Amino acid sequence: MEITVYGTAVTCPSCVGAPSSEETFSWLKAVLGRKYEQAMTLRYVDFETATSDQWTEALKEDVYFYPLIVLDDEMIDEGYVKLKTITAAIDAKLSQTG
């Protein structure tokens, strides 16, 4: 299972008061590491400097807010992310696989 946090150093203009993408990544890494025993890869991608893919292009075209949270190539949350939304998506994925 892979969770990717797409963001950039600048906070999303539409997400005033929200943590930065990097802060969100650090927070998720700590919380999810404590909550789940399953092997899970978390990675952070700066969409402004990364190699182009569907998610970086969508962010550059303002299709999504950032940080954008992607679970195994499926968007699960964006902007002001909520732990409940993310864990529900992870739990659903875990119940399908096992």
Side-chain angles (χ1 to χ4, degrees):
M1 185 176 306
E2 180 175 87
I3 296 174
T4 306
V5 177
Y6 288 88
T8 192
V10 178
T11 302
C12 175
S14 298
C15 304
V16 175
S20 73
S21 299
E22 293 163 332
E23 291 169 331
T24 299
F25 170 73
S26 295
W27 167 70
L28 282 176
K29 191 172 184 178
V31 170
L32 298 178
R34 287 191 304 267
K35 182 168 176 60
Y36 295 99
E37 294 178 9
Q38 294 78 4
M40 194 178 299
T41 302
L42 274 86
R43 66 186 185 111
Y44 177 79
V45 175
D46 185 320
F47 73 89
E48 292 184 329
T49 60
T51 304
S52 181
D53 67 15
Q54 73 179 36
W55 304 111
T56 60
E57 289 305 309
L59 284 162
K60 288 176 184 176
E61 294 171 9
D62 294 326
V63 174
Y64 298 110
F65 294 112
Y66 56 90
L68 174 68
I69 313 301
V70 176
L71 171 63
D72 291 340
D73 211 35
E74 177 183 337
M75 191 280 285
I76 58 173
D77 208 356
E78 62 176 316
Y80 197 82
V81 299
K82 296 161 276 327
L83 184 60
K84 186 175 183 176
T85 303
I86 295 167
T87 57
I90 293 169
D91 293 342
K93 184 75 124 179
L94 290 172
S95 69
Q96 291 173 357
T97 60

